[in-house]
Amino acid sequence: MSRLTVLSVASEVFPLVKTGGLADVAGALPRALAPEGVDMTTLVPGYPAVMRALEHGGSVLAVADLFGGPARVLSGTAEGLALLVVDAPHLFDRPGNPYVGPDGRDWPDNPFRFAALARVAAMIGLGDLPGWRPDVIHAHDWQTGLTAAYLAYADRPRPGTVITVHNLAFQGQFGPELLGPLGLPPEAWSVAGVEYYGQIGFLKAGLQFSDRITTVSPSYAAEIRTPAGGMGLDGLIRARGADVAGILNGIDDTVWDPAADPLIPAPFDLKTLKRRGDDKKALQTRFGLAADPDALLYGVISRLSWQKGLDLLLGEIGTLAASGAQLVLLGSGEPALERGFLEAAAAHPGRIACRIGYDEPLAHLIQAGSDALIVPSRFEPCGLTQLCALRYGAVPVVARVGGLADTIVDANEMARAAGAGTGIQFSPVTAEMLAGALIRTADLWRDRDAWTRLQRNAMKTDVSWRRPAARYAGLYRDLVAARGGG
Ligand code: ADP
């Protein structure tokens, strides 16, 4: 089988720039796909962190004017990733995260910043860059949604296109007056084009024009076809019918490896599970909790937003603390939630503790040291923290939605009789049902043999990229064949 060349287009990529799961996926795919016969290069914006990491500054492939300023397309490597970089200082040489400035507000020229990324992706797709003609362009989320639209309106031979929806809640909508300035033709202003409820919809464009649509779990793929889960785009997603597929994410099992994790004090595996007790103690100490091996220690690692359902957990904190359990939370986001958890910690010293912020090493310690990880999301396209939790034997307690439904096997009596449970699920996503799940979790915790079986099952679950990578490779090959190549 001949090798395929795929250009992945992403607004963030681990370990260079990360605000969420998208970066993890974009960062992991190239290595996971190499054994599947796919050579993936990732096109990213030239944020300061990317420019700093680019080895030897990269080599210049093209120079162009891009939305009011000079730009270069650089080719190079950073952190083992093969990259193409849109070096456009007027768009990307800024402090802050990829989307918002230091004042916490979206950059006002975000439509142009990400249209620039899509525009360069389209140039590469059309063969305008020397030495480059990918078989497939794989775009991610709204930031890259215009890629397929630019390709469609160019009316020249183009590669196959795939867009992956990592979170339908972020759609990238901008005023209609930007149509011309973004370089889109007048005919793009139509329901069959980029128009979306009177605005230009970047994600809508991606869903409209890409040959294939994927999202990050089979359950989420089903949910986004419904009015309840489709966030206004369900009609279009239903219309795309068989072109929509759900492919679960994996995690990088070398970064997340409890047996060889330099970020935890006591690495462990299935045979040395007892060592986990030392990680628990270290975690309790780090957070100022009583170092009690018998207290059921819950962990949370999350963005603090409505999506993640942590307001429901906040409502149950008193009961949780009264039951003798402990909770450590690491996260940042909505000020009301940050305040709520800080107040809960102050009200229950020694039992509840939180760190507001983003801390990758601390996330590893929480996975290794907590007994159970709570993920009460109202919706969850895939979710990565519960996959890490499985691998680290932190029993996931999750809402039965999206990827959480697909990756955790509820330890109900039937599953336990079959020796199959890996965690606890609850549904619907309400405070009452979460409270019930916490009671079930505490019951299981009291039966240490049952708990250990659950942990072992969890740790044996294949959460690697191997299966997902094979599915992506299959999708690319089908697409190339369907378009008459390969
Ligand atoms: P989302 O992308 O919706 O935020 P995911 O579960 O898909 O949620 O991915 C979140 C990723 O970010 C995981 O790898 C998780 O461990 C990490 N993460 C989230 N919040 C924090 C934090 N405060 N500190 C460290 N890592 C975090």
Side-chain angles (χ1 to χ4, degrees):
M1 219 167 4
S2 64
R3 294 189 72 83
L4 283 186
T5 305
V6 177
L7 181 73
S8 170
V9 192
S11 57
E12 47 186 283
V13 62
F14 182 85
L16 305 178
V17 191
K18 167 169 162 174
T19 72
L22 160 64
D24 290 316
V25 176
L29 273 178
R31 188 141 54 91
L33 282 163
E36 300 291 334
V38 175
D39 297 318
M40 178 172 271
T41 297
T42 311
L43 177 71
V44 290
Y47 309 118
V50 172
M51 299 305 291
R52 276 196 304 274
L54 201 58
E55 284 158 27
H56 314 297
S59 56
V60 182
L61 287 193
V63 179
D65 183 89
L66 213 49
F67 299 119
R72 305 182 306 165
V73 182
L74 306 176
S75 161
T77 56
E79 301 281 354
L81 292 163
L83 295 181
L84 290 173
V85 176
V86 184
D87 174 26
H90 64 298
L91 300 173
F92 299 123
D93 185 11
R94 302 177 188 186
N97 90 7
Y99 318 115
V100 302
D103 63 355
R105 285 225 270 270
D106 285 356
W107 294 109
D109 58 348
N110 271 352
F112 293 100
R113 297 173 73 229
F114 296 106
L117 181 64
R119 187 113 213 174
V120 172
M123 276 169 57
I124 296 168
L126 295 169
D128 292 344
L129 241 64
W132 266 95
R133 198 176 258 288
D135 300 299
V136 172
I137 295 191
H138 185 169
H140 300 272
D141 274 353
W142 74 263
Q143 293 87 349
T144 60
L146 288 189
T147 305
Y150 285 135
L151 284 168
Y153 290 115
D155 211 17
R156 284 159 55 191
R158 63 165 181 86
T161 49
V162 178
I163 187 161
T164 294
V165 179
H166 296 266
N167 193 334
L168 201 64
F170 305 111
Q171 301 188 351
Q173 288 163 46
F174 304 101
E177 70 283 358
L178 297 185
L179 193 75
L182 286 171
L184 290 161
E187 64 267 28
W189 189 249
S190 101
V191 176
V194 303
E195 191 272 340
Y196 181 56
Y197 293 111
Q199 297 208 291
I200 299 171
F202 277 36
L203 181 61
K204 189 265 175 159
L207 299 176
Q208 183 78 37
F209 289 105
S210 299
D211 297 316
R212 296 281 191 279
I213 298 167
T214 74
T215 186
V216 288
S217 69
S219 285
Y220 194 57
E223 288 167 14
I224 62 177
R225 289 170 196 266
T226 67
M231 300 191 166
L233 285 164
D234 47 295
L236 172 54
I237 291 166
R238 280 195 301 278
R240 293 300 314 267
D243 295 333
V244 184
I247 303 178
L248 277 173
N249 287 332
I251 54 169
D252 186 328
D253 53 8
T254 59
V255 173
W256 294 98
D257 180 2
D261 187 335
L263 299 169
I264 62 176
F268 60 92
D269 59 19
L270 276 170
K271 284 201 231 53
T272 55
L273 194 51
K274 280 207 164 47
R275 284 192 201 152
R276 228 181 160 275
D278 293 337
D279 294 313
K280 177 170 177 176
K281 195 168 165 195
L283 179 59
Q284 287 168 319
T285 308
R286 175 87 180 265
F287 274 83
L289 300 182
D292 176 359
D294 292 323
L296 167 55
L297 173 56
Y298 289 106
V300 172
I301 306 163
S302 185
R303 287 187 291 120
L304 301 181
S305 73
W306 182 85
Q307 175 197 338
K308 301 291 180 179
L310 292 165
D311 49 312
L312 304 176
L313 178 61
L314 207 45
E316 297 303 317
I317 287 277
T319 323
L320 190 148
S323 75
Q326 299 177 328
L327 171 79
V328 296
L329 173 137
L330 168 64
S332 63
E334 286 169 19
L337 285 170
E338 292 186 355
R339 247 192 334 269
F341 279 104
L342 285 169
E343 283 167 12
H348 303 284
R351 296 243 150 253
I352 312 288
C354 60
R355 292 281 183 283
I356 301 303
Y358 190 93
D359 188 336
E360 199 90 24
L362 189 54
H364 284 245
L365 182 61
I366 294 175
Q367 294 286 10
S370 50
D371 299 304
L373 190 93
I374 308 180
V375 194
S377 305
R378 290 190 166 89
F379 70 94
E380 193 59 78
C382 178
L384 296 174
T385 50
Q386 87 281 10
L387 299 181
C388 300
L390 286 171
R391 186 137 164 82
Y392 279 63
V395 172
V397 179
V398 305
R400 188 182 295 127
V401 295
L404 299 172
D406 294 339
T407 55
I408 306 301
V409 180
D410 182 66
N412 55 39
E413 287 203 2
M414 234 158 63
R416 285 171 61 204
T422 60
I424 306 287
Q425 293 189 334
F426 64 94
S427 169
V429 190
T430 60
E432 264 168 29
M433 299 313 277
L434 170 60
L438 296 178
I439 292 170
R440 281 180 65 207
T441 308
D443 287 345
L444 277 165
W445 171 251
R446 272 188 285 278
D447 178 351
R448 271 335 136 76
D449 289 342
W451 188 267
T452 308
R453 275 198 297 279
L454 211 56
Q455 277 185 310
R456 289 182 175 280
N457 288 346
M459 290 174 71
K460 284 185 205 154
T461 307
D462 182 1
V463 290
S464 76
W465 272 105
R466 279 178 283 279
R467 275 185 296 183
R471 289 215 45 205
Y472 277 113
L475 176 89
Y476 302 147
R477 287 193 197 284
D478 287 351
L479 175 56
V480 169
R483 301 185 77 256

